[in-house]
Amino acid sequence: MVRSDTQSTVIDAAENILDATHTHFTHKGLLRGLSSKRVLVDVTVTGGDGWVEACYTGEDKQQGFVSRTLEGTRTKTIGRFRAPGIAELEYWGPDGLTLATTFHLRQASPDHVEGIGWLIGPNTGIGAQIKTFAFKPMFKLALHQDRRVLSSASRNAALSPDAKPVVGPLDFLRNDIAAIMSGRLPDCAETPRTHQIQL
Ligand SMILES: [Fe+2]
């Protein structure tokens, strides 16, 4: 379990946690490999009242150190947001859920988010204990990398308060998370979306 706080918003922090593509840039080598090799991945975005999720299939196992150490074969990954501030990442293998990360976030002040995160995996005895011991500093390093990106985004946004956030074509969940946070039904509840990306 880790506890953290960041200069950001719940929307931006949740979007960051659930954004599969930022790992190539923000966590190169840690959660992703050092090569520029990409794999064609299918993404399905669905949602409902108070939740949205993106399901990734066709992915290779992530080549970074953490993923190689902790996971076996991966069949699908799900990133899910639940109101009012839960971000969940699930890694599924052929026999079911192999690894899950859950963050609970709250807007502590207008520009500050507090969060608690858990990493949950199967308890396989001493092997699992060694992995847990090895993983914690890496989890903290990944968090540190994300906090740098989020706080600089927050400082940039403060320079032009009227500017709308830039939402790119790969930011699959950003608009739906924003809709949920303002009490609306996310678009994907009525129209599920599918994408194909090089991840
Ligand atoms: Fe990250």
Side-chain angles (χ1 to χ4, degrees):
M1 193 269 271
V2 292
R3 200 180 265 268
S4 188
D5 65 279
T6 304
Q7 182 186 338
S8 190
T9 62
V10 167
I11 297 175
D12 283 347
E15 201 277 341
N16 170 271
I17 292 164
L18 300 176
D19 171 29
T21 57
H22 85 285
T23 51
H24 283 297
F25 306 96
T26 313
H27 310 298
K28 198 169 187 168
L30 187 65
L31 303 180
R32 290 281 178 181
L34 294 169
S35 83
S36 56
K37 179 176 162 263
R38 297 286 193 270
V39 182
L40 201 60
V41 170
D42 290 306
V43 190
T44 308
V45 180
T46 53
D49 189 11
W51 67 279
V52 58
E53 72 174 40
C55 179
Y56 298 79
T57 48
E59 229 179 336
D60 235 13
K61 186 164 131 178
Q62 290 190 10
Q63 290 303 310
F65 185 75
V66 171
S67 311
R68 273 188 294 155
T69 311
L70 289 171
E71 272 192 87
T73 315
R74 186 188 293 183
T75 54
K76 67 175 175 182
T77 305
I78 297 175
R80 185 184 304 108
F81 177 79
R82 294 179 191 277
I86 302 173
E88 301 168 326
L89 285 170
E90 298 174 355
Y91 302 98
W92 291 75
D95 301 321
L97 190 60
T98 53
L99 203 62
T101 317
T102 306
F103 281 87
H104 287 217
L105 307 167
R106 77 173 192 115
Q107 198 72 51
S109 72
D111 63 353
H112 233 79
V113 173
E114 287 177 351
I116 298 176
W118 289 265
L119 181 88
I120 307 141
N123 188 347
T124 53
I126 189 81
Q129 284 174 29
I130 292 167
K131 282 177 179 179
T132 306
F133 186 72
F135 183 77
K136 194 145 185 181
M138 292 184 283
F139 199 43
K140 287 198 163 163
L141 179 57
L143 261 178
H144 173 73
Q145 292 169 332
D146 283 322
R147 290 176 69 221
R148 277 183 57 193
V149 173
L150 285 168
S151 61
S152 59
S154 170
R155 287 195 302 274
N156 283 339
L159 293 176
S160 11
D162 298 328
K164 285 219 161 80
V166 177
V167 180
L170 292 175
D171 299 328
F172 303 126
L173 302 181
R174 181 64 164 72
N175 289 333
D176 288 324
I177 294 172
I180 291 166
M181 289 303 281
S182 60
R184 287 180 284 122
L185 196 64
D187 284 348
C188 63
E190 255 136 48
T191 327
R193 299 185 297 270
T194 55
H195 309 268
Q196 206 169 47
I197 57 165
Q198 295 276 350
L199 190 63

